[in-house]
Amino acid sequence: MQIASLIAKPGQLDPALVDSLRNALGGGTVSWLSPDEAAEFPLETTPGNLDEIRASIAEMADLNVLTEANRRKRMLLADMDSTMIQQECIDELAEEAGVGAHVKKITARAMNGELDFEGALIERVALLKGLPESVIDKVVESRITLMPGGKTLLATMHAAGGHCVLVSGGFTAFTTRVSALLGFDENRANTLLIENGELTGEVGHPILGREAKVQALDEITARLEISACDVIAVGDGANDLGMLTRAGLGVALHAKPSVQAQSDLRVNHGDLTALLYLQGYARGEFVTA
């Protein structure tokens, strides 16, 4: 059995749209996970014209179809930049270095899969050479904001016994802080090299990129004695595609166009609590941090 999930911004999911889709697809009884925000209904099979239907309602809601079995996952594997936080940390550091516009263009192309991730990271970090180490705290305090819904996502999964991991192509100087703010159980990222209180313009090797995120999934699930099918992964960039396609549920959240095109599950209207709706949680089951 398949489940058709519809998620919109709070108060904007039209019941008439849900009923119309259910009738057109021959679905079962509609369940509302959150009034006028999230609903779902069972389907016998995934419609062959799913992409066409998605496109027709893209301005109103996100439509995803997923397998009913094993929906509630035992591990969350999450990207950080533009996923758990609303910014790209390296772009914010670059603003402090006076090269923000240039670095943002490189970041956007790398996240859309147009550039080699490792080469693009080395190029951008080189432009940060000479920045005082103290700028990291300044950026965290003045420029970084959490993505809405993150604390509720982690608190709800923790309450169900889940394990939450932050894995980023960014930097440990940021993941350690974000991990602590949100309550992640562990985090992995790259290391900005620092000497005499200044950024050297280099990043520690080996560089954590696409394959390292897949490796993290494999290593941590083995340690927890669970499988990739027990994982829900979320990210927005091309370097997340490996873990998104390997996880039981891989969610492209407000993702780059090339990433959405290669992802089965896409969220463009909801915040991070959409990952709970996709697992079948109703709003009344959410746990607030």
Side-chain angles (χ1 to χ4, degrees):
M1 185 70 69
Q2 304 297 299
I3 297 293
S5 164
L6 285 155
I7 302 170
K9 292 181 174 65
Q12 295 187 21
L13 185 56
D14 185 353
L17 171 65
V18 178
D19 288 339
S20 176
L21 276 173
R22 186 272 310 273
N23 293 336
L25 296 174
T29 302
V30 172
S31 298
W32 283 90
L33 303 180
S34 180
D36 302 325
E37 181 184 8
E40 62 182 45
F41 53 84
L43 290 172
E44 289 296 330
T45 59
T46 300
N49 61 340
L50 177 61
D51 286 341
E52 180 182 331
I53 300 171
R54 275 176 156 168
S56 71
I57 66 167
E59 296 300 317
M60 297 174 281
D62 296 316
L63 170 63
N64 289 289
V65 177
L66 59 160
T67 303
E68 182 180 31
N70 191 30
R71 284 179 71 189
R72 297 200 175 185
K73 301 306 182 185
R74 299 170 64 185
M75 176 174 148
L76 168 69
L77 188 65
D79 174 44
M80 179 180 69
D81 296 289
S82 298
T83 300
M84 298 309 302
I85 62 174
Q86 298 186 73
Q87 296 78 24
E88 296 281 338
C89 288
I90 194 165
D91 291 356
E92 302 306 319
L93 288 172
E95 287 288 346
E96 296 291 334
V99 291
H102 178 56
V103 167
K104 283 181 180 178
K105 289 179 182 178
I106 300 173
T107 300
R109 293 186 64 198
M111 291 302 97
N112 198 41
E114 299 171 30
L115 299 174
D116 170 68
F117 176 81
E118 183 170 327
L121 182 66
I122 291 170
E123 179 183 355
R124 287 174 290 163
V125 171
L127 296 171
L128 306 178
K129 183 177 181 179
L131 275 180
E133 181 182 7
S134 60
V135 80
I136 294 172
D137 286 330
K138 179 183 177 182
V139 166
V140 170
E141 293 168 6
S142 65
R143 293 180 176 270
I144 302 303
T145 53
L146 299 176
M147 191 70 75
K151 288 187 176 182
T152 298
L153 169 63
L154 266 74
T156 303
M157 291 200 67
H158 275 143
H163 188 78
C164 300
V165 182
L166 187 65
V167 56
S168 173
F171 310 112
T172 55
F174 291 92
T175 59
T176 53
R177 291 162 167 85
V178 172
S179 180
L181 283 171
L182 289 170
F184 279 94
D185 297 296
E186 54 185 293
N187 68 91
R188 298 186 182 191
N190 291 304
T191 303
L192 277 174
L193 299 183
I194 297 169
E195 290 182 3
N196 301 318
E198 292 185 347
L199 275 62
T200 66
E202 297 179 334
V203 61
H205 284 69
I207 290 177
L208 190 154
R210 175 171 172 157
E211 293 307 315
K213 291 191 176 191
V214 175
Q215 182 180 353
L217 187 156
D218 290 343
E219 290 177 354
I220 297 168
T221 53
R223 190 180 78 224
L224 298 176
E225 299 183 336
I226 61 176
S227 74
C229 292
D230 297 313
V231 177
I232 182 168
V234 60
D236 73 301
N239 63 323
D240 297 314
L241 279 167
M243 70 175 187
L244 295 184
T245 55
R246 186 163 178 77
L249 293 179
V251 183
L253 181 80
H254 304 289
K256 307 302 182 288
S258 67
V259 179
Q260 293 203 43
Q262 298 176 70
S263 301
D264 291 335
L265 303 179
R266 311 164 194 169
V267 171
N268 291 305
H269 289 277
D271 61 20
L272 283 163
T273 58
L275 274 68
L276 295 173
Y277 293 136
L278 289 172
Q279 294 179 79
Y281 287 92
R283 179 161 287 278
E285 297 177 89
F286 289 6
V287 177
T288 55

